[in-house]
Amino acid sequence: MDLPVALLQSLEGVPGYHREAFEAVHRSGEQVTSVRVNPAKASLLAGGLETYRISLPVSGKIPWTDNGYYLQERPFFTFDPLLHAGAYYVQEASSMFVEQAMRQTLDLNQSLRVLDGCAAPGGKSTHLQSLISADSLLVSNEVIKSRASILEENLVKWGGANVMVTNNDPADFSSLENFFDVLVIDAPCSGSGLFRREPEAIAEWSPHAVQLCSQRQQRILADYYPSLAEDGTLIYSTCSYSQEEDEQIIDWLLNNFELESLPLQLQADWNIVEVQSPERKGSGYRFFPDQVKGEGFFLAAFRKKDGGNSITVLRRSLKYKKRPKAKWRP
Ligand code: SAM
């Protein structure tokens, strides 16, 4: 697998990036398969979690989440009725780190209003649904209609009664001012973190695509920001290694919004790399596949300090009215 030279060069100096090991793990052909079990359905089944162990070849637990498991091999998932019953979700392991951001920044026993702003196909939404209390509300929004249908199907299978699926433009949410306690933006990105799993995506990558993704990420964040309540938590993530989509977005957020960066506690043996944004020293968390058992991932968490809408001017400057119709490529 030949990784883009421009990507490799752009990562020189990024904490945790070791070019040789990074290239070697992409050449290795190793595939990591993981699932997250639905705790609500586990309790309904007589055998509890053991039922899954019979259905799935579990090889170990994913350490940063309560219900995530690595599998020894990739089974024919579509033949498994438990998958269609929403008993588990096939999900990339690193991205389950969103659980730490939720647990460490919120009281999950409280009634929370949560907005998942880039929700399809539903990995984060099903996870969030399992983390929040029964009297909380999860709104899962997906801007692309065909993808919203897949999201709906996955959430129906998952089975929570406290979820609604919407198919709106992010800008539509700005009228719900200060409404949500939690805003999760798992942003569309250039996708370099998934190159090991999807080598065909390499051909679509370019420095220009990274720039376009970075601008789109800013527009999405600016559109959703007014709907986050004062003291609310913003969780931002990508599956890109590019600083323009990761650390530079942290700086952009801290420069343009009344947000504070929220550091998270890590265990040393998780091998997740803590980074700081170059300008404002906000905290971010990088996952490199040569160090963690999972794919490339990035996450940062923030607290909103005011309930105001200082962002209105910025949204105008990002030319919202002229935006092209959203298209989705990983
Ligand atoms: N959170 C999802 C999960 O865990 O399964 C994955 C989300 S994926 C990384 C990003 C999502 O953002 C895609 O479903 C894509 O359709 C959506 N998207 C693309 N362009 C968008 C835009 N301009 N505004 C909002 N969402 C967009």
Side-chain angles (χ1 to χ4, degrees), residues 118-124 142-144 147 170 186-188 216 220 326-328:
C118 300
K124 304 285 179 313
E142 169 55 45
V143 69
I144 296 179
R147 291 178 61 82
D186 184 32
R216 180 168 58 178
I220 293 170
K327 272 201 249 148
W328 167 242

Side-chain angles (χ1 to χ4, degrees), residues 4-176:
V5 175
L7 172 67
L8 298 175
Q9 285 172 347
S10 73
L11 295 179
E12 290 299 344
V14 169
Y17 171 68
H18 308 290
R19 182 165 175 165
E20 267 181 33
F22 185 80
E23 286 192 280
V25 82
H26 282 86
R27 274 196 305 269
S28 71
E30 185 202 0
Q31 296 291 327
V32 178
T33 304
S34 48
V35 297
R36 188 172 34 75
V37 164
N38 184 345
K41 303 246 171 165
S43 61
L44 294 176
L45 291 162
L49 283 181
E50 290 309 315
T51 308
Y52 299 102
R53 289 175 205 273
I54 295 162
S55 162
L56 299 169
V58 169
S59 65
K61 208 167 168 306
I62 301 171
W64 44 83
T65 174
D66 277 357
N67 294 305
Y69 296 91
Y70 293 112
L71 303 187
Q72 286 155 18
E73 66 206 5
R74 194 174 181 88
F76 290 106
F77 284 116
T78 47
F79 296 162
D80 185 359
L82 286 177
L83 175 74
H84 300 287
Y88 62 90
Y89 191 94
V90 183
Q91 189 181 17
E92 195 286 301
S94 306
S95 65
M96 298 184 205
F97 185 67
V98 74
E99 179 167 328
Q100 288 300 321
M102 291 287 287
R103 287 195 189 284
Q104 293 189 32
T105 65
L106 293 153
D107 176 358
L108 295 176
N109 295 315
Q110 279 192 348
S111 170
L112 296 170
R113 296 168 176 175
V114 182
L115 172 59
D116 183 355
C118 300
K124 304 285 179 313
S125 277
T126 51
H127 198 170
L128 295 169
Q129 197 283 327
S130 297
L131 292 172
I132 59 177
S133 61
D135 61 349
S136 294
L137 169 71
L138 171 63
V139 177
S140 295
N141 185 56
E142 169 55 45
V143 69
I144 296 179
K145 195 166 184 172
S146 56
R147 291 178 61 82
S149 306
I150 299 163
L151 172 67
E152 182 187 11
E153 189 182 320
N154 283 332
L155 282 167
V156 166
K157 283 181 189 167
W158 202 250
N162 51 356
V163 185
M164 62 187 285
V165 173
T166 55
N167 170 220
N168 281 77
D169 192 287
D172 296 340
F173 284 82
S174 59
S175 53
L176 280 177

Side-chain angles (χ1 to χ4, degrees), residues 109-284:
N109 295 315
Q110 279 192 348
S111 170
L112 296 170
R113 296 168 176 175
V114 182
L115 172 59
D116 183 355
C118 300
K124 304 285 179 313
S125 277
T126 51
H127 198 170
L128 295 169
Q129 197 283 327
S130 297
L131 292 172
I132 59 177
S133 61
D135 61 349
S136 294
L137 169 71
L138 171 63
V139 177
S140 295
N141 185 56
E142 169 55 45
V143 69
I144 296 179
K145 195 166 184 172
S146 56
R147 291 178 61 82
S149 306
I150 299 163
L151 172 67
E152 182 187 11
E153 189 182 320
N154 283 332
L155 282 167
V156 166
K157 283 181 189 167
W158 202 250
N162 51 356
V163 185
M164 62 187 285
V165 173
T166 55
N167 170 220
N168 281 77
D169 192 287
D172 296 340
F173 284 82
S174 59
S175 53
L176 280 177
E177 242 174 65
N178 304 325
F179 187 81
F180 292 100
D181 304 299
V182 187
L183 171 59
V184 177
I185 303 296
D186 184 32
C189 69
S190 59
S192 47
L194 300 181
F195 281 168
R196 180 168 64 157
R197 213 173 62 178
E198 296 164 12
E200 62 284 357
I202 294 175
E204 305 234 339
W205 188 93
S206 70
H208 182 60
V210 169
Q211 290 304 332
L212 290 179
C213 286
S214 173
Q215 288 162 13
R216 180 168 58 178
Q217 287 149 2
Q218 292 170 28
R219 288 199 303 267
I220 293 170
L221 286 160
D223 271 349
Y224 278 124
Y225 181 79
S227 67
L228 181 62
E230 187 172 353
D231 289 331
T233 296
L234 165 65
I235 299 172
Y236 172 77
S237 61
T238 72
C239 57
S240 165
Y241 297 113
S242 294
Q243 293 172 91
E244 292 89 334
E245 301 176 73
D246 297 343
E247 288 87 345
Q248 288 179 23
I249 293 287
I250 296 182
D251 274 338
W252 178 83
L253 281 167
L254 294 175
N255 282 335
N256 288 288
F257 300 83
E258 288 298 313
L259 288 166
E260 65 177 324
S261 167
L262 296 179
L264 303 176
Q265 299 294 318
L266 301 177
Q267 289 185 25
D269 58 359
W270 292 353
N271 295 325
I272 299 166
V273 178
E274 178 162 13
V275 290
Q276 287 198 321
S277 62
E279 195 188 329
R280 301 291 302 271
K281 310 294 176 212
S283 302

